[in-house]
Amino acid sequence: MEPTINNSKPSRARTKTPPTDLPGWGIDADPKNDPTYPMKQRTDAEQTGYSWERPTLQQPDVEILKSLERPNLTAVFGTSTPPSGLSGMLRRHAYANYSENDNRHWFTLVLADKINVVECVLDDLASGHVPNIFKEKGYKASWQHDRKGLIVSLGTTLAITAGLAYLAWPKNKRGKKPKSRTVYPS
């Protein structure tokens, strides 16, 4: 017996009839239940600018850094830690020269943060206060709740510090024996 091949096209009546037996069919047919309904009624009123009176802005009494993309200061801003020292110079450089979409902006700010930590420790020492770095970094809690993470973190820091110290050490003092000179009898 030969297999039969059905070359007939689906009937027109079958393709035009909505499959109402499918669960959820026609759920978005009601325009009042359409989640994009407000956008369809857009009036472009938001293109005319502020439609409300802008509140009183905070006045700066310390140096405030703002990105190149902003023409003016934000309405409110923090004033607790104005830029100062070497970290402040780096921050000013980052904000004045690099856009926020430039990686150099962010890398400079991260470097400024790290330098600011050292500046603060030196400031504490200069004022006679010895910082309790173990307590301030939360190592006690890390030891109680994430001992493995603390060990990995400290080990990584120690390895990086040792590597940098090794690279900074003069090459001729890294344990290499100086080349012996052959002395020929004359």
Side-chain angles (χ1 to χ4, degrees):
M1 183 172 180
E2 290 185 23
T4 58
I5 299 174
N6 186 1
N7 288 334
S8 65
K9 294 180 181 176
S11 70
R12 188 172 272 260
R14 184 174 178 198
T15 57
K16 290 209 172 198
T17 306
T20 55
D21 55 333
L22 291 175
W25 180 262
I27 197 167
D28 55 348
D30 182 11
K32 291 181 182 173
N33 194 22
D34 186 356
T36 63
Y37 180 73
M39 292 181 73
K40 289 179 179 175
Q41 304 299 319
R42 181 173 281 200
T43 61
D44 286 335
E46 66 274 9
Q47 303 300 328
T48 60
Y50 295 123
S51 60
W52 42 272
E53 187 172 328
R54 198 158 189 212
T56 305
L57 303 179
Q58 179 181 357
Q59 295 302 313
D61 55 352
V62 294
E63 180 183 5
I64 304 294
L65 301 175
K66 65 178 182 65
S67 75
L68 293 171
E69 288 84 9
R70 296 198 60 84
N72 50 15
L73 290 175
T74 55
V76 291
F77 44 82
T79 59
S80 64
T81 52
S84 64
L86 178 61
S87 62
M89 290 171 53
L90 286 172
R91 286 192 175 98
R92 285 185 203 101
H93 177 75
Y95 278 102
N97 296 310
Y98 304 124
S99 170
E100 287 186 0
N101 65 352
D102 192 337
N103 285 337
R104 292 177 291 181
H105 175 84
W106 300 108
F107 289 140
T108 306
L109 290 179
V110 169
L111 178 64
D113 285 347
K114 300 303 177 190
I115 290 174
N116 195 13
V117 169
V118 175
E119 288 174 341
C120 289
V121 169
L122 293 176
D123 214 22
D124 282 349
L125 292 173
S127 64
H129 173 72
V130 178
N132 187 350
I133 295 177
F134 190 83
K135 185 177 178 182
E136 291 176 5
K137 297 277 291 182
Y139 289 147
K140 183 179 178 184
S142 293
W143 185 255
Q144 287 177 347
H145 302 289
D146 186 22
R147 190 170 295 187
K148 183 180 172 185
L150 178 64
I151 291 170
V152 168
S153 174
L154 291 177
T156 304
T157 303
L158 182 64
I160 290 173
T161 304
L164 291 174
Y166 178 78
L167 291 175
W169 199 258
K171 256 186 176 177
N172 60 357
K173 294 183 179 180
R174 288 186 189 167
K176 291 182 181 178
K177 293 181 180 178
K179 292 182 181 177
S180 62
R181 293 194 294 174
T182 306
V183 178
Y184 297 103
S186 54

